[in-house]
Amino acid sequence: MAADDSEADQPPSQNDVAPHNSLISLPHNISDPAEKIDAAKDRDIALARVEWEKKMALIKAWEESEKIKAENKAYKRLSAVESWENTKKASIEAQLMKIEEKMEKKKAEYAEQIKNKIVGIRKEGEEKKATIEAERKEQCLKVEETAAKYRTSGFIPKTLLKCFRG
């Protein structure tokens, strides 16, 4: 193939050129047959050069066309990959947002549960405190009633005497 390319870049030799008598006419003032042959050869060389330049122009146009096709194909494929990538990113980001929303919801639910537990503990503590306070008041009333009995009867409580017996 490299040999074909190097041959295509060079103009054809005089032996490769076919005579085209109908395209270019010989000058009328040439009288010598040798001059006629030289003029025909010159004309054939000129025609071969034009033919060669035409081929080179066509090859160059084909080459440019193929390059543009390849670039367009690559651009199209790159665009498709970029589109695919953007779609996948958007899908993953949507999944991430969904997960984050679920986590935020769970966090809020757990926070609410903890707050409810704290309120329950506080309420239970208040109830226990109220019970203790009620028992204290009840004990105080009993002591006051017992003290009143001792005052009216004149007896001294036995538990007090244990402390002073020493």
Side-chain angles (χ1 to χ4, degrees), residues 14-165:
Q14 290 179 354
N15 296 337
D16 295 341
V17 177
H20 296 286
N21 292 335
S22 62
L23 294 176
I24 299 177
S25 63
L26 292 175
H28 297 291
N29 58 357
I30 300 177
S31 59
D32 188 17
E35 287 179 15
K36 286 183 182 182
I37 292 174
D38 286 341
K41 283 184 180 179
D42 288 343
R43 186 195 66 203
D44 289 344
I45 291 172
L47 285 174
R49 180 168 294 272
V50 167
E51 212 36 54
W52 178 78
E53 288 174 356
K54 181 180 174 184
K55 284 180 184 179
M56 291 301 112
L58 288 173
I59 290 170
K60 186 169 182 146
W62 173 84
E63 179 183 16
E64 291 297 320
S65 173
E66 291 300 312
K67 283 181 181 179
I68 289 171
K69 282 181 189 177
E71 287 175 8
N72 289 340
K73 185 177 181 180
Y75 177 77
K76 196 175 192 180
R77 291 175 67 199
L78 287 173
S79 295
V81 168
E82 191 173 320
S83 173
W84 171 83
E85 183 180 353
N86 290 338
T87 303
K88 290 295 181 180
K89 278 184 192 177
S91 173
I92 296 298
E93 287 172 358
Q95 288 177 355
L96 179 62
M97 292 290 283
K98 219 179 225 185
I99 291 170
E100 286 176 351
E101 288 174 4
K102 284 182 181 179
M103 291 178 76
E104 287 296 321
K105 188 176 178 182
K106 287 277 189 189
K107 182 180 175 182
E109 288 174 4
Y110 288 139
E112 187 66 29
Q113 288 175 357
I114 297 298
K115 287 178 183 177
N116 290 340
K117 284 181 181 180
I118 290 171
V119 168
I121 290 170
R122 192 172 290 140
K123 184 178 178 182
E124 191 176 335
E126 291 294 324
E127 289 173 358
K128 286 182 178 184
K129 287 178 186 176
T131 303
I132 292 170
E133 188 63 29
E135 288 174 0
R136 184 189 65 82
K137 286 182 181 179
E138 191 177 315
Q139 289 261 328
C140 285
L141 283 174
K142 282 184 181 180
V143 168
E144 286 176 9
E145 289 175 5
T146 307
K149 283 184 187 177
Y150 286 131
R151 282 190 198 106
T152 56
S153 66
F155 289 112
I156 298 176
K158 293 179 184 177
T159 56
L160 181 66
L161 296 175
K162 288 181 188 175
C163 292
F164 292 112
R165 284 191 188 169

Side-chain angles (χ1 to χ4, degrees), residues 1-7:
M1 185 165 205
D4 293 340
D5 290 342
S6 64
E7 289 176 10

